[in-house]
Amino acid sequence: MAPPAVVDKAVISGFANAEAYDAHRPSYPAQAVDGLLGHLGIANKPGARIVDLAAGTGKFTELLAARPEVFEILAVEPHEKMRENLEAKRLRGVTTRDGVAAKMDVPDGWADAVIAAQVRHGRGPRRDSPRPQARGLAGHDLERRRLLVSPAPPPAFDPRSGFFSHNRADNQPKNWTPSTRWEAGMKELVVSAPPDGPKRFRDGAWMDVFDRQSSAARPLFTTPIGQDRVPFTVWRTKEALWDRLNTLSHIFVLPDAEKAAFKAKFEQILKGGDGNWNDKQEVEFHGATAYAWTKGL
């Protein structure tokens, strides 16, 4: 039996409220899902095998399970409460398993694609480690390659790996420009909160390992990786915005006094900002779903 998966303690505590995460985190736009699956070569491929890495509560798994291709899906998730939430949904064609990116306990060549949705914040060493993320990513990518490439005859589909990151205006990379001043204020507020552990998508460190692939003696994947993003707009009440912010792990784990101060700043930014409000007391909130893909070698 494989040893239990090991996950950063900050991730365990930060996502302890799996029910709230499932309720307040958004799903993924159909255009982004179709785009990624198309680039991975598994759109319209009946019965394709997919590893949904770090599946969480199944926000992305639900979309895969509802597809007409009737995929065979292995949802790998190390967080016990999140995995239990996912299992309770009893999704078609989905098997759940405890595991981490560097050790998924899946046979060689099993998968036609490995997809990691909204997971890059939880990978790699902590922020105070030398070369954060980069050391851990190499091992993770070796494991993904093992699942995709079989020592037997060539697989039916080109083995590929994909990534999703759902980025609202308050949690985007620094070089993305928010649509409004109040969203820029929210972004600065979120970024200024104490870090809880591993780096995140917005830090950009996840790209380092792929950048180095172009000069590697034995590259694991094709580079440069393909990238695209789909913008979206949603309407949210102040309460719904706060509930969503409180699912960010580094906000969730703030001590009571710090969280109260954080929430006060949140309310001040929202009240004095340039938001577009409707008659339901909902504000227009912008974001983009970024996705990337690469092919195993």
Side-chain angles (χ1 to χ4, degrees), residues 162-174:
F163 313 91
F164 262 123
S165 186
H166 210 51
N167 302 280
R168 298 207 176 197
D170 56 9
N171 197 28
Q172 293 178 349
K174 292 181 179 180

Side-chain angles (χ1 to χ4, degrees), residues 67-253:
R67 298 273 305 187
E69 295 91 344
V70 191
F71 294 131
E72 184 177 351
I73 304 162
L74 180 59
V76 178
E77 172 53 49
H79 195 294
E80 183 178 5
K81 290 186 177 180
M82 285 193 158
R83 193 171 61 252
E84 289 175 352
N85 190 292
L86 169 55
E87 289 171 344
K89 296 178 180 180
R90 300 184 181 277
L91 300 174
R92 182 192 67 183
V94 176
T95 301
T96 60
R97 178 169 298 172
D98 184 11
V100 293
K103 187 171 179 57
M104 300 184 220
D105 195 23
V106 180
D108 291 359
W110 182 86
D112 298 305
V114 177
I115 304 176
Q118 202 68 16
V119 65
R120 278 167 284 185
H121 63 281
R123 302 173 63 185
R126 295 181 63 86
R127 290 173 179 262
D128 53 1
S129 299
R131 299 174 66 189
Q133 270 199 333
R135 294 187 305 169
L137 277 169
H140 300 161
D141 290 332
L142 281 168
E143 175 73 348
R144 274 206 305 273
R145 187 177 189 277
R146 181 185 67 77
L147 305 190
L148 292 167
V149 180
S150 173
F157 313 127
D158 289 338
R160 306 203 175 195
S161 187
F163 313 91
F164 262 123
S165 186
H166 210 51
N167 302 280
R168 298 207 176 197
D170 56 9
N171 197 28
Q172 293 178 349
K174 292 181 179 180
N175 62 342
W176 291 19
T177 303
S179 300
T180 61
R181 292 192 304 277
W182 80 267
E183 289 171 315
M186 287 292 185
K187 178 178 175 179
E188 179 59 32
L189 180 63
V190 169
V191 171
S192 66
D196 63 331
K199 276 182 170 279
R200 300 161 180 273
F201 174 83
R202 64 171 180 260
D203 296 299
W206 67 275
M207 280 293 296
D208 293 348
V209 69
F210 295 105
D211 290 341
R212 289 195 297 275
Q213 288 291 302
S214 58
S215 59
R218 297 182 62 186
L220 302 174
F221 296 100
T222 54
T223 56
I225 64 172
Q227 295 187 69
D228 204 348
R229 58 181 174 178
V230 176
F232 62 84
T233 301
V234 294
W235 293 84
R236 293 290 182 266
T237 63
K238 180 181 73 173
E239 294 74 20
L241 282 175
W242 172 250
D243 287 340
R244 188 265 167 186
L245 273 181
N246 202 34
T247 67
L248 296 176
S249 58
H250 69 304
I251 306 302
F252 181 79
V253 299

